[in-house]
Amino acid sequence: MSSRRVAWAALGVVYVLWGSTYLANRLIITDVPPLLSGGVRFAVGGGLLAVVVAVVAGPSALRMTRAQFGTTALSGVLLPAWGNGIVTLGQQHVSSGLAALLIAAVPLYIVVLRALTGDRPRPATVGGVAVGVVGLALLVLTGSSGSGGTVGSAWWGPWLILLAGLGWATGTFATTRLPVPPNPFALAAVQMLVGGAVLLAVSLGKGDRLDPAAVSPVAWWAWAYMMVVVSLGAFSAYAYALASLPVSTVATYAYVNPVIAVLLGVLVVGERFTALQLVGGAVVVCSVVLVIAAERVASRV
């Protein structure tokens, strides 16, 4: 199989596994403090992936220059800690499907970050972002209605998810502009270890504690799935795809994941959406398609 086919296969893994994380998070945080669940997930997943990298590619694959480690640590704070950590907090107040629809704004953030650092986006790209803003406005304004999260529907829940998306977009953008280690799996492993350490420090600092007897079997299985299958599979696949495919192509996960997340939320836990939320979500997904299509055209010119 050619390296390009492997990269596309990796992106397919990201599509499926990351689409399922929103439902898995919802099942976990009913019994486990959100930041603690994320911290343990990334610490375990990062450790397992580091062992796999050392065994398969040799311990030298984990070596990094100071600049490469700086980028890796920064993206570890922005991606797993800020991005995923804040998503789990937000999911206490919004449904898993709505969270995924809001995170679909990540490619729109990346366009803005590129513009702020000197890139001049095409008019079609700007138009796509403008459409996305309208869709996000609908989602935020109607975000406290519907099925909500695990502990209610606070008005600021959707805003937390948008803040998480900003962290994820910034971390993704940074790894395409700053020096990174040559082995993408080493990058993913250290990112998770750094992010897990940050989340655990914040969680334990705020007094979170785990009561194993209070954790349901479903939550345990979802947590194990996130620690092993998602952390080893999706996070490393994302790093590989990002290193092998254009960032605009990798960003297509942002309009596939929400569809999977919404379907799983409706089918498994009976989440419901208002008509305006569905319209807003459709507008956001369409805007992301427009932006990525415009960027593809620009890359060929």
Side-chain angles (χ1 to χ4, degrees), residues 76-90:
V77 172
L78 292 170
L79 292 169
W82 179 341
N84 282 277
I86 296 180
V87 162
T88 59
L89 290 175

Side-chain angles (χ1 to χ4, degrees), residues 142-297:
T142 60
S144 59
S145 57
S147 58
T150 58
V151 294
S153 301
W155 66 267
W156 40 265
W159 291 100
L160 269 183
I161 303 296
L162 287 178
L163 181 62
L166 176 60
W168 190 267
T170 305
T172 299
F173 183 72
T175 58
T176 65
R177 296 300 181 96
L178 299 174
V180 295
N183 189 311
F185 300 104
L187 169 68
V190 178
Q191 280 176 333
M192 286 192 283
L193 287 170
V194 170
V198 171
L199 288 172
L200 283 174
V202 175
S203 176
L204 296 176
K206 65 189 285 290
D208 287 342
R209 295 293 180 269
L210 176 66
D211 180 6
V215 181
S216 68
V218 170
W220 280 119
W221 280 110
W223 205 4
Y225 169 75
M226 292 287 275
M227 283 188 279
V228 180
V229 178
V230 174
S231 293
L232 281 178
F235 214 86
S236 56
Y238 180 71
Y240 185 85
L242 199 59
S244 309
L245 297 171
V247 66
S248 59
T249 299
V250 178
T252 57
Y253 78 87
Y255 59 78
V256 177
N257 291 166
V259 177
I260 295 173
V262 168
L263 289 175
L264 288 175
V266 171
L267 295 174
V268 178
V269 293
E271 291 180 349
R272 297 179 303 277
F273 296 87
T274 67
L276 280 177
Q277 284 176 330
L278 291 175
V279 170
V283 170
V284 169
V285 172
C286 287
S287 74
V288 172
V289 174
L290 290 173
V291 167
I292 293 174
E295 292 299 295
R296 281 179 174 169
V297 171

Side-chain angles (χ1 to χ4, degrees), residues 2 37 45 48 80 88 109 111 123 125 131 145 149 184-185 198 219 221 246 301:
S2 69
S37 72
L48 289 173
T88 59
Y109 282 129
V111 170
T125 301
V131 171
S145 57
F185 300 104
V198 171
W221 280 110
V301 175

Side-chain angles (χ1 to χ4, degrees), residues 90-108:
Q91 279 196 253
Q92 293 181 301
H93 303 284
V94 302
S95 67
S96 59
L98 178 58
L101 290 169
L102 289 164
I103 288 294
V106 165
L108 310 184

Side-chain angles (χ1 to χ4, degrees), residues 1-15 237 240-241 244-246 249:
M1 185 180 290
S2 69
S3 59
R4 188 165 182 83
R5 287 183 178 178
V6 172
W8 274 102
L11 186 56
V13 169
V14 172
Y15 285 165
Y240 185 85
S244 309
L245 297 171
T249 299

